[in-house]
């Protein structure tokens, strides 16, 4: 798999030389190049931004340096004739990045990331790029970053680790893929008693049936507390009597295979 990243702050992407992704690059499992947008400018000041038409705060990234860089990168793309690389544009106005999008993008042969700064990239770049790329504006979530670089670090890690051979222990990946739409249960290690806090007894019992039941209950409790939006979309049609009882205790009834909030009374 090949990744290209275009940024006016290429040093921001230095963490991709380290750890899991750095090792995968060294081992040839993935190719990654970072390009300085300013190297595609033509003027003596290497200008990448200008004032917005129509007024408003801040600056907008000029189209031509983007066109120069994206043309070069598309020309060197490893994708087959008649197919297009994917251009990911980090933007708070994009579709939200999640694990299912990570799986989808991990199937691609060539991903190009365009890191915007300031108020964003001239919109015509995204329209123009659609001739040679599948263009996807992507958001990391509803908060404001100064630019796309940190979003790209997160996405490259989430996608890169799904490439076969990148994660040393593939059992971790299999376990994740079987994740059941609930938050993970809490984990503990030695010592069993630490600063007057004990690991729950059941985890020391060796009773694997009881342990599984205990963990599922904790998953349900913390999901209801922290991510009620996940409870709303949960398929509970195959839930056991005890699991349904936990949901009831948490204020939910089971209706048509869904957990629905009971009236407060
Ligand atoms: C480029 N706020 O924010 C959330 N996901 C992406 C972003 C973002 C931003 C500014 C520029 C990306």
């Amino acid at each position: 798999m090949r990744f290209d990243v275009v940024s006016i702050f290429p040093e921001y992407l230095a963490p991709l030389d380290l750890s899991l992704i750095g090792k995968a690059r060294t081992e040839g499992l993935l190719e990654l190049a970072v390009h300085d947008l300013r190297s595609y400018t033509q003027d003596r000041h290497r200008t990448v931004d200008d004032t917005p038409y129509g007024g408003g705060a801040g600056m907008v990234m000029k189209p031509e340096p983007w066109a120069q860089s994206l043309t070069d990168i598309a020309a060197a793309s490893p994708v087959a004739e008649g197919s297009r690389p994917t251009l990911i544009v980090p933007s708070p106005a994009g579709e939200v990045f999640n694990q299912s999008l990570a799986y989808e993008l991990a199937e691609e042969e060539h991903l190009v990331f365009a890191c915007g700064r300031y108020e964003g990239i001239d919109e015509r770049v995204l329209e123009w790029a659609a001739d040679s790329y599948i263009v996807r504006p992507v958001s990391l979530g509803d908060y404001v970053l100064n630019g796309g670089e940190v979003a790209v670090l997160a996405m490259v890690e989430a996608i890169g680790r799904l490439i076969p051979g990148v994660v040393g222990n593939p059992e971790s990946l299999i376990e994740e893929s079987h994740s059941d739409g609930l938050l993970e249960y809490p984990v503990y290690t030695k010592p069993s008693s630490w600063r007057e806090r004990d690991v729950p007894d059941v985890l020391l019992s060796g009773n694997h049936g009881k342990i599984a039941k205990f963990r599922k209950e904790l998953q349900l409790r913390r999901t209801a507390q922290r991510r009620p939006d996940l409870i709303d979309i949960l398929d509970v049609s195959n839930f056991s009597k005890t699991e349904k009882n936990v949901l009831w205790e948490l204020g939910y009834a089971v209706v048509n295979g869904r957990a629905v909030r009971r009236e407060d009374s």
Side-chain angles (χ1 to χ4, degrees), residues 56-202:
M59 300 290 270
V60 174
M61 297 192 99
K62 292 168 67 62
E64 192 54 25
W66 284 109
Q68 295 293 338
S69 64
L70 296 176
T71 298
D72 271 19
I73 291 167
S77 179
V79 301
E81 201 70 58
S83 161
R84 283 173 289 170
T86 295
L87 178 64
I88 297 171
V89 186
S91 160
E95 65 178 307
V96 176
F97 187 76
N98 58 19
Q99 192 63 28
S100 116
L101 184 52
Y103 283 121
E104 184 185 335
L105 294 172
E107 298 294 317
E108 299 292 331
E109 198 180 344
H110 190 194
L111 300 179
V112 180
F113 295 87
C115 301
R117 283 263 151 182
Y118 314 112
E119 300 311 307
I121 303 169
D122 187 309
E123 188 66 22
R124 292 169 295 179
V125 172
L126 281 74
E127 299 166 12
W128 163 87
D131 281 353
S132 19
Y133 291 92
I134 306 292
V135 179
R136 300 185 77 161
V138 177
S139 170
L140 228 50
D142 292 336
Y143 46 84
V144 180
L145 302 172
N146 284 329
E149 286 80 3
V150 165
V152 168
L153 289 175
M155 288 189 274
V156 168
E157 179 153 320
I159 297 163
R161 64 191 294 288
L162 300 178
I163 298 167
V166 172
V167 165
N169 177 5
E171 279 180 14
S172 330
L173 289 176
I174 294 163
E175 189 157 306
E176 281 164 25
S177 73
H178 293 323
S179 89
D180 45 15
L182 295 172
L183 300 185
E184 294 300 323
Y185 51 76
V187 296
Y188 305 88
T189 187
K190 291 174 279 298
S192 64
S193 186
W194 175 76
R195 300 195 178 199
E196 322 225 289
R197 290 160 194 277
D198 294 342
V199 171
D201 274 337
V202 61

Side-chain angles (χ1 to χ4, degrees), residues 7-52:
S7 166
I8 59 166
F9 293 124
E11 326 84 78
Y12 229 115
L13 286 305
L16 299 177
D17 294 341
L18 307 173
S19 190
L20 207 73
I21 299 298
K23 183 149 177 276
R25 289 168 74 186
T26 312
E27 291 173 355
L29 295 170
L30 65 90
E31 272 189 289
L32 187 148
V34 180
H35 309 266
D36 185 350
L37 182 69
R38 286 191 204 277
S39 72
Y40 297 91
T41 57
Q42 305 277 352
D43 67 307
R44 109 172 225 81
H45 298 290
R46 312 223 296 168
T47 314
V48 294
D49 63 338
D50 207 336
T51 53

Side-chain angles (χ1 to χ4, degrees), residues 206-222:
N207 183 334
H208 298 292
K210 258 182 121 175
I211 290 171
K213 207 167 136 236
F214 173 79
R215 285 177 165 167
K216 184 68 173 273
E217 173 168 345
L218 292 185
Q219 284 188 279
L220 283 167
R221 287 190 188 286
R222 55 158 58 167

